[in-house]
Amino acid sequence: MAALGIAVLLAAGGWAAWRARTAWRSPGPGSRVTIPVFVLHRVLPGEATEYIISPDRLEKLVRELNRRGFKPISLAQLDAALRDRGPLPRKPAMITFDDAYLDMYVHALPVLRKHGWPAVFFAPTGKITDPPAGRVVWGDGPDPQAMQWPELIALKKAGMEIGSHAGTHINLAKALPETVRAELETSRSAIAERLGVAPVALAYPGGRQNREVRRAAAEAGYRLAFLSGGGPIPPGVEDLYALPRVHVPGYAEPAAIVSALPENVWR
């Protein structure tokens, strides 16, 4: 029966259709491939806000991405696709988290692991401590404790990626050039030293940047740098140091966010 089923599938062109839906390929002339990179912040049970999403709603987002056929990509795959037309799945996507709060480790990691979705966690390394030192408490919302290095190491071991969120989460667009360089270089060096690999990408704190900050990011060795909003990465994007992301409000319906994404056209 199994052989007969396969024969029917092949005769009907089902195998070719399945391959067309799932195969990784490089965008060709006439392709219009957008890449949604979702950005989230706090992950906490209870009432949702603009920057706080519940674990249940995060799970709904991941389930919706899976249901609609989106496939997670890494920063290296994104870099290769944007620079050299490297291969991508038909529906590429990425989930990112800014600020490296402890609640992301506690509440987001189990959801991501359950559904097989790696994510990128952008850490402001100046706020990351080592035990037995206490956790840094900063930012907004209830109990805003930062992760410590053991949690970031555990995230990496779990298949997640760690990017830089600069050093101390200052407004880089208003900082002196030497301060910007120090924020970007020391953060990248700290992650490389503690995790054994230099971060590919930077997320600007609050998305704040300008031409000088973008230039400093490139000079510091980052391959990509992200804003805090702006939508999916459009086809043919040129500035790899001002990449937009899809902001996910904590109170928004995940199905509505995903269904609003533009359809990709492959040639």
Side-chain angles (χ1 to χ4, degrees), residues 99-102 123-138 144-153 167-168 190 194-195:
D99 302 331
Y101 285 111
L102 177 61
T125 52
K127 300 184 183 297
I128 309 299
T129 55
D130 257 316
R135 298 181 186 278
V136 173
V137 177
W138 70 286
Q145 297 185 67
M147 290 189 215
Q148 293 186 307
W149 284 109
E151 281 102 21
L152 290 176
I153 292 170
T168 58
R194 298 306 301 266
L195 301 184

Side-chain angles (χ1 to χ4, degrees), residues 9-74:
L9 179 68
L10 291 174
W15 176 255
W18 181 86
R19 288 290 298 169
R21 288 196 303 271
T22 59
W24 286 49
R25 62 177 69 179
S26 298
S31 294
R32 296 195 303 277
V33 180
T34 62
I35 306 172
V37 177
F38 300 96
V39 54
L40 303 93
H41 293 81
R42 306 295 304 277
V43 184
L44 291 166
E47 184 177 359
T49 70
E50 184 76 21
Y51 294 102
I52 298 177
I53 191 171
S54 70
D56 288 345
R57 199 167 286 267
L58 172 61
E59 185 161 19
K60 286 183 179 179
L61 173 65
V62 178
R63 285 183 181 274
E64 187 67 15
L65 290 172
N66 284 339
R67 188 181 75 82
R68 292 181 176 270
F70 285 88
K71 304 295 181 185
I73 61 172
S74 68

